[in-house]
Each structure stands twice: as C-alpha cells, then as structure tokens.
Amino acid sequence: MPARVVERVYREERAAIVAGLIRLCGDFSLAEDVVQDAFSKALERWPDEGVPPNPAGWVATSARRRAIDLVRRAERFREKAAVLRRLEEAEAEAGPVELPGEDGPQDDRLRLLFTCCHPALSTEAQVALTLRVVGGLSTREIARAFLVPDTTMGQRIVRAKAKIRDAGIPFRVPVGPALEPRLAAVLSVLYLIFNEGYAATESEELVRRELCDEAVRLARLVVELMPHEPETGGLLALMLLHDARRDTRVVDGELVLLEDQDRGRWNRAAIDEGAALVEGALRLGRVGPYQIQAAIAALHGQAATPSDTDWPQIAALYTVLGRMLPTPVVRLNRAVAIAMAGDVSGGLAILDALSEDGSLDRYHLFHAARADLLRRLGRTEAARAAYRQALSVCTHPVERRFLERRLSHS
C-alpha cells in the first residue's frame, strides 16, 4: 500500500514538486536530485511509519529540507545566500516567495513550461527538457519519441539544463512581445505531453489520464495568457475533443476503434466546449494546423453514429492540413479519410506511394491502416502480411493484442 501511494504521488505530483523547487532554487539538477531523494526516503519510511496525511506535502517538505542542507554546504555559500533565503522562507511557510522580477502569483509548471521553451535553447532541447521536467516523462520515453538512443537524449537534456543555468535564464512567464517567440514550442510540447497521455509508449496502460489532464490544464492557462492567439484555442479544443473519448478507447483492457466506441459514454460537455472553442478560433481569421485538426475532431465528436461521420469534409480538411503540414502522418490520415469517404482504392494508392519513401516503415499505425484498406478490398493475403508488419514494429501490449485479433480474423 505505501509503495502504491509513492507511485501515485510520483506519477501525479512529481512535476509540480520539482517545478516549485526550481522556482525557489533556480537549479534544475538540484531540484530533481532532492525530489528523487525524498521519494526514496518515502519508500524506506512509510512502510514502518505509515503514510502521512498529505503524502505530496511530505515529499515536498523533505525535498526542500534536503535542498537547504545542500545549499548550506555549497562551497560558494555567499552566492547561494539568496537561494537559501527563499528556501527558508518557504520552509517557514511565510506565504508566496517572490522572485526577482516577479509579476504576481503564477502556476509553477506554467513558469517551467515557458522557461524550458526559451529561444536560447534549440527546438529539440526545448521539447526534450519540457517533456522531462514538466511532463515527467523518462529519458527513455522521450528518446523513443524522437527515435534516438537513450544516451543521446540524456546528454541533450543535461546540456539544456546547463544552458539555462549558465545563461541565467529567469524562471518566469514572459510578458508582452516576449511571449510570441515561445508560443510555437509551448504549444508543441503541450500537445506531445497530451499525446503521450492519450497513447502511452512505455506505460502498461494505453491511456495515462494524469498526463492528459495536466496538458489540458496548462493549455487552459496558456489560453488565458494569450486569448487572442487562435492557435492556443485551437490546441485546447483539439485536446478536449480527443479527451472526450478517452474512457471508451480501452474497455476491459482491450483497444476499441473509434467506429466501435460507445458514443453514449463520450463526454458531451467536453465536445461542446471544444467545438465552441474551435469555432471561435476560426472566426479570428488566422487558420492554423491545430484549428484544422480540432475541426476534424469536432466532426468525429458531433457524429451521432459512425455512418453519420462527414468523411468527405474530413478528407477535405486533411487536404488543407497537408498544405500547412506536409508530413507523412498527415498524408496517412488523409488517405484513410479518402478511403472512409468511399474511395478505398484511392486511399490505398496514397499509402502505397508513402511506403516507397520508407519514412513510416517503423510506424505501426501506417501498416495497420494499410492492412485495413487491403482487407476492405478483399485482398486477404496482402492484408495479413501488412498486419504482421504492424505487429513487428508495435510495442504496446494493448495495441499488439488488437492487431493479433485482426490478423486472426482476416
């Protein structure tokens, strides 16, 4: 039982505890180390001492006291005096601790998000560091998302932390014109965090609710910060419209396709809010990729039955999206939409063309989509071969079981 509580607090609260400590001490590595130490102590003590009434508070307090101890021992203590004062003020529960240049109370993880997305860092470093410290993803999970070795990703994250420390990048949300240069990276990492929650790469469960919830919460804060930026509303709408269906994606541990999901269990309030958000964003007249994707998600969410889905309009929207984001994944989704609109052979021709450049060879959803279109055309043997290709590169057990069922029934 104590171990489960530690696991839950680590999964749900770690990022917030780390963010709070970074705010106080300005040192990513110190904050992560002392929080890790606090969780280790919890695993040692709670089985004998019992789980405290406020487990996350216990971890935060233990980490803060360890940070005070380490800062006091620092060789250059004089330079650490300001950090020590802030840590001790927080320890004494003296209320919110102001930082130099502070502009009022703000969410620690929002500060951390904008700090990690500082233009001084490369885009790759911004995304990797944010996924690590804000999303709480492991280095291995991030390495898999970027298709690079674990050691490469670990070094990238270490260099990004050092860059923030050495450049003296302030831990705060910028104001005015300084917001805009960070917006694209901020929206990108929020969507990556959400996607990791919606289709986890490492977790035994396909859906990690805490990541979805945190991405949506932070997206709401960004919308409040930049209410006239249409892509902020577009991204929040996109997340809400996907999130509305998450409880029906996996039933009794098995993956359920969109067309087979129980639409009566979809979160109608989230769908209505998402649809209203994207309509408002589109009215601002600066259409972007998140708004287009949200519009597609709204068409799915508003279809009462699978047969009511407006596939021709979805295919048209993917064509527009492809002009903005000419990526292989967008081409894949457009091909599926064209097939679902009635032109199965046309959709398959696009997928066959995609297979020639090899960019999606390691993407199991590409092979699964191709297998499905081959099956619909009655090309059973080719479909079975494509399902086997999908299985050869699919790692998540829930998705593997689904593909195995499809293969056995084809």
Side-chain angles (χ1 to χ4, degrees), residues 38-96:
F39 276 108
S40 296
K41 287 180 181 173
L43 280 172
E44 292 172 4
R45 295 186 181 178
W46 292 0
D48 295 329
E49 300 175 4
V51 176
N54 180 359
W58 188 98
V59 171
T61 300
S62 177
R64 190 167 56 242
R65 289 174 179 170
R66 179 63 176 157
I68 290 172
D69 185 45
L70 291 176
V71 171
R72 280 175 175 161
R73 292 184 196 177
E75 290 183 5
R76 293 181 297 176
F77 178 78
R78 189 182 300 277
E79 296 178 12
K80 302 290 185 181
V83 171
L84 186 61
R85 178 181 57 77
R86 289 198 294 269
L87 285 166
E88 290 180 333
E89 284 179 6
E91 179 63 15
E93 298 181 344

Side-chain angles (χ1 to χ4, degrees), residues 304-315:
T305 66
S307 61
D308 291 332
T309 306
D310 190 345
W311 286 108
Q313 188 174 350
I314 290 172

Side-chain angles (χ1 to χ4, degrees), residues 160-347:
K161 291 176 185 175
K163 177 80 173 183
I164 289 176
R165 181 195 62 215
D166 297 342
I169 293 173
F171 183 70
R172 63 171 178 258
V173 177
V175 295
L179 276 170
E180 201 279 335
R182 304 193 206 184
L183 182 62
V186 165
L187 298 184
S188 174
V189 295
L190 282 179
Y191 196 36
L192 283 170
I193 292 171
F194 178 84
N195 281 334
E196 181 60 27
Y198 200 67
T201 54
E202 288 282 317
S203 169
E204 289 186 4
E205 296 181 352
L206 187 63
V207 178
R208 293 180 60 182
R209 296 167 186 271
E210 79 282 0
L211 284 183
C212 293
D213 291 342
E214 180 61 11
V216 169
R217 189 186 73 83
L218 286 171
R220 288 188 187 280
L221 294 177
V222 175
V223 169
E224 288 178 14
L225 204 61
M226 305 179 76
H228 302 300
E229 171 51 56
E231 281 292 81
T232 61
L235 177 61
L236 177 57
L238 178 60
M239 291 182 183
L240 289 169
L241 287 159
H242 281 314
D243 202 44
R245 306 196 300 262
R246 72 177 178 189
D247 287 343
T248 60
R249 292 186 64 231
V250 179
V251 177
D252 297 330
E254 302 301 334
L255 180 65
V256 181
L257 290 181
L258 174 64
E259 62 200 60
D260 298 322
Q261 292 171 7
D262 180 356
R263 294 176 184 233
R265 294 180 56 211
W266 286 359
N267 184 335
R268 287 292 156 195
I271 291 171
D272 291 344
E273 183 184 0
L277 270 168
V278 69
E279 287 175 11
L282 288 169
R283 279 199 296 272
L284 292 175
R286 287 178 284 141
V287 178
Y290 292 119
Q291 296 164 70
I292 297 295
Q293 293 173 82
I296 293 169
L299 288 172
H300 284 299
Q302 291 171 328
T305 66
S307 61
D308 291 332
T309 306
D310 190 345
W311 286 108
Q313 188 174 350
I314 290 172
L317 286 169
Y318 272 120
T319 300
V320 175
L321 182 62
R323 296 190 192 110
M324 298 176 180
L325 288 177
T327 67
V329 172
V330 172
R331 291 170 65 191
L332 161 62
N333 291 335
R334 177 172 173 267
V336 172
I338 287 172
M340 295 300 291
D343 185 2
V344 182
S345 296

